[in-house]
Amino acid sequence: MPSRHADGHLYIDGAWRPSASGRFGDVEEKATGARIGRYALGDAADVDRAVDAARAAQPGWAALSAPERAGHLRRMAAHLHDRYEELVTLSMRETGGVRAKAEDEVSTTIRQLGISAVQATENAGEVLPPYKAGKLSLSRVVPLGVLGVITPWNYPMNLAMRAVAPGLAFGNTVVLKPAELTPIIGGQVLAEAAEHAGLPPGVLNVVTGDGPGAGWPLATHDGLDLIDFTGSRRVGLDIAASAAAVLRPIRLELGGDNAFLVLGDADVDLAASLAMVASLEFQGQTCISSSRHIVVRDVAEEYIAAVTRRVEALRVGDPLSGEADLGPLISIAQRDRVHQTIVEPSVAMGAKLVAGGTYDGLFYRPTVLTGVTPDMPAFTEEIFGPVIPITVVDTEEEAVALTNGYPMLMNSVFTADLMRGMQVAERLQAGEVHVNDAHARHGAENQMPGFTRRQWIGVQRTPLDLPAWTADPAGRP
């Protein structure tokens, strides 16, 4: 748990402070509803203080040598490593994820700090070909300045650190606004690590609060040199419009209605097992979860049966019990969105509820819908919940056509022919495509942005070591 001075306080200019309003909110354990802490409800005045502190600290921080900045990052990583078990438990309580998800998040956060510490000392620039004889042309890496970072609740630690760690490594200062549903693991804990590591005052500032009160004032603040936002497409569009008006640089990672294609020659058992990962890991609450399962008719009946067997065997419960495959959804609002705006309307339009579709509090049973058509919410919306909507098509061409045309981050293609899988992947309009694999089983974190659309394709060629809960229950011991 966070220390007493962090509880209900902001971290600005190297000190724990109450919000300007003096108001705070409670943080609840998602599985039980028990209060586990509180967070300060920051507002525009607090954002101003944080940005001013970051602006004042930035020149001195950038003036430190790269090894000095890297040392601070390594000390942050060591502090988090020392608290590993505590933070895994806290992540399970605050996000509702099972232990494997929490371990991955904490480990990835620590690893990102180490990677950024190394990158800061590897390369300070390049020697370029001179445009004229007798000239010397150098390109050097310089910090942007002050970064505003707004993060979501699903992977609050490592999605924050993905921006914070490299930002700090290269001499920028940061104002972080974590999601109000996960302000401890996504904000207070990271501020404690910065304090423990001796970061100079103002280098990392954490302003907790809700979106309208703290998030929007940060997203539109004139004192930022870049805003980094991970979250919904709707909010991302609003931020992009605001930034465009003043030509402020932005970095956005938004949602996607990702597809899971099962072709007529696919290994159905493999596809069904990986469907559990693609659509149900962390209760489907990730931007890379598969929201559309598009299956060629030749294998549709077999695939539906295989998926349904697996889904019906899954255990939903408190992650801390050690007996749950899936935990609770993050909030009542999220549960109601999944049920009332995705599942119920799709069933009313003709989809068949094969499994699930019920809930107890925030515990939503994993759900399979068949007969899903392209006009239903289960096809057109990013679900962000434990739902597998299945659409049956006659041909590969139809599958590709239905996949494209929607905002996507990551797709999967299943086929016995790896070359065919790669050819289909090349036709899909997604930044990342996996052949005979699912989203969390490969990584392309270090891709650099450029002036062309880059697509990453992962091909699984060897047998997979899948979690036990993804297997066909008929074959379990």
Side-chain angles (χ1 to χ4, degrees), residues 134-273:
K135 299 287 186 181
L136 178 63
S137 296
L138 304 176
S139 168
R140 67 188 185 101
V141 176
V142 296
L144 287 171
V146 178
L147 312 182
V149 178
I150 301 175
T151 54
W153 46 258
N154 53 354
Y155 284 82
M157 279 191 84
N158 71 314
L159 289 181
M161 199 53 66
R162 186 179 58 181
V164 170
L168 296 178
F170 289 102
N172 302 283
T173 53
V174 176
V175 179
L176 168 66
K177 207 297 281 188
E180 57 266 37
L181 288 169
T182 51
I184 300 176
I185 197 75
Q188 292 177 11
V189 163
L190 303 182
E192 288 178 334
E195 182 182 45
H196 180 86
L199 263 71
V203 170
L204 176 61
N205 307 273
V206 177
V207 178
T208 54
D210 60 24
W216 188 248
L218 180 60
T220 58
H221 203 286
D222 290 338
L224 298 179
D225 296 293
L226 179 139
I227 182 72
D228 184 291
F229 171 78
T230 303
S232 74
R233 185 174 178 82
R234 177 185 57 79
V235 176
L237 289 171
D238 290 341
I239 291 174
S242 172
V246 293
L247 298 179
R248 180 183 298 111
I250 56 174
R251 179 187 176 278
L252 304 177
E253 181 173 326
L254 310 179
D257 193 5
N258 307 301
F260 191 93
L261 278 67
V262 183
L263 303 184
D265 63 344
D267 179 332
V268 170
D269 279 335
L270 174 65
S273 290

Side-chain angles (χ1 to χ4, degrees), residues 77-100:
H79 175 74
L80 297 176
H81 184 270
D82 290 343
R83 299 176 64 184
Y84 180 82
E85 282 298 329
E86 171 198 353
L87 297 180
V88 166
T89 300
L90 177 58
S91 176
M92 294 167 70
R93 298 184 71 189
E94 195 173 6
T95 71
V98 297
R99 183 174 181 86

Side-chain angles (χ1 to χ4, degrees), residues 9 15 87 89 118 161 173 217 255 291 312 327 340 394 451 459:
H9 288 77
L87 297 180
T89 300
V118 171
M161 199 53 66
T173 53
S291 295
E312 290 179 335
Q340 297 174 11
D394 291 316
F451 295 104
V459 180

Side-chain angles (χ1 to χ4, degrees), residues 44-399:
D46 299 305
V47 170
D48 286 341
R49 285 193 297 166
V51 173
D52 288 346
R55 179 62 62 192
Q58 196 275 323
W61 176 247
L64 293 180
S65 68
E68 287 177 300
R69 294 195 301 273
H72 283 291
L73 298 190
R74 291 192 176 97
R75 286 191 289 276
M76 288 182 68
H79 175 74
L80 297 176
H81 184 270
D82 290 343
R83 299 176 64 184
Y84 180 82
E85 282 298 329
E86 171 198 353
L87 297 180
V88 166
T89 300
L90 177 58
S91 176
M92 294 167 70
R93 298 184 71 189
E94 195 173 6
T95 71
V98 297
R99 183 174 181 86
K101 182 264 183 187
E103 289 180 340
D104 177 67
E105 173 155 28
V106 177
S107 297
T108 302
T109 301
I110 295 168
R111 186 165 60 249
Q112 180 64 67
L113 282 162
I115 291 171
S116 295
V118 171
Q119 289 175 332
T121 61
E122 279 187 331
N123 190 348
E126 299 176 276
V127 178
L128 304 175
Y131 71 93
K132 185 184 293 185
K135 299 287 186 181
L136 178 63
S137 296
L138 304 176
S139 168
R140 67 188 185 101
V141 176
V142 296
L144 287 171
V146 178
L147 312 182
V149 178
I150 301 175
T151 54
W153 46 258
N154 53 354
Y155 284 82
M157 279 191 84
N158 71 314
L159 289 181
M161 199 53 66
R162 186 179 58 181
V164 170
L168 296 178
F170 289 102
N172 302 283
T173 53
V174 176
V175 179
L176 168 66
K177 207 297 281 188
E180 57 266 37
L181 288 169
T182 51
I184 300 176
I185 197 75
Q188 292 177 11
V189 163
L190 303 182
E192 288 178 334
E195 182 182 45
H196 180 86
L199 263 71
V203 170
L204 176 61
N205 307 273
V206 177
V207 178
T208 54
D210 60 24
W216 188 248
L218 180 60
T220 58
H221 203 286
D222 290 338
L224 298 179
D225 296 293
L226 179 139
I227 182 72
D228 184 291
F229 171 78
T230 303
S232 74
R233 185 174 178 82
R234 177 185 57 79
V235 176
L237 289 171
D238 290 341
I239 291 174
S242 172
V246 293
L247 298 179
R248 180 183 298 111
I250 56 174
R251 179 187 176 278
L252 304 177
E253 181 173 326
L254 310 179
D257 193 5
N258 307 301
F260 191 93
L261 278 67
V262 183
L263 303 184
D265 63 344
D267 179 332
V268 170
D269 279 335
L270 174 65
S273 290
L274 280 161
M276 303 298 103
V277 175
S279 289
L280 302 182
E281 193 166 56
F282 189 43
Q283 296 77 263
Q285 298 174 122
T286 75
C287 61
I288 54 176
S289 294
S290 295
S291 295
R292 295 174 289 151
H293 290 241
I294 302 173
V295 184
V296 172
R297 193 173 305 277
D298 293 348
V299 294
E301 184 176 346
E302 183 183 358
Y303 179 74
I304 291 168
V307 166
T308 302
R309 286 195 303 271
R310 287 164 170 80
V311 163
E312 290 179 335
L314 294 178
R315 302 166 299 173
V316 180
D318 186 342
L320 289 177
S321 71
E323 298 178 351
D325 302 309
L326 304 180
L329 295 180
I330 193 72
S331 67
I332 291 174
Q334 186 65 18
R335 180 204 68 195
D336 289 348
R337 178 186 176 276
V338 170
H339 192 68
Q340 297 174 11
T341 70
I342 303 292
V343 174
E344 286 189 329
S346 296
V347 171
M349 295 173 70
K352 181 181 179 182
L353 183 63
V354 177
T358 61
Y359 59 85
D360 179 10
L362 297 183
F363 296 99
Y364 199 93
R365 281 296 309 171
T367 298
V368 178
L369 296 174
T370 61
V372 174
T373 57
D375 58 337
M376 296 178 181
F379 190 94
T380 60
E381 298 293 325
E382 181 184 22
I383 296 174
F384 239 69
V387 180
I388 297 178
I390 299 175
T391 300
V392 178
V393 298
D394 291 316
T395 66
E396 174 187 310
E397 292 297 325
E398 188 179 356

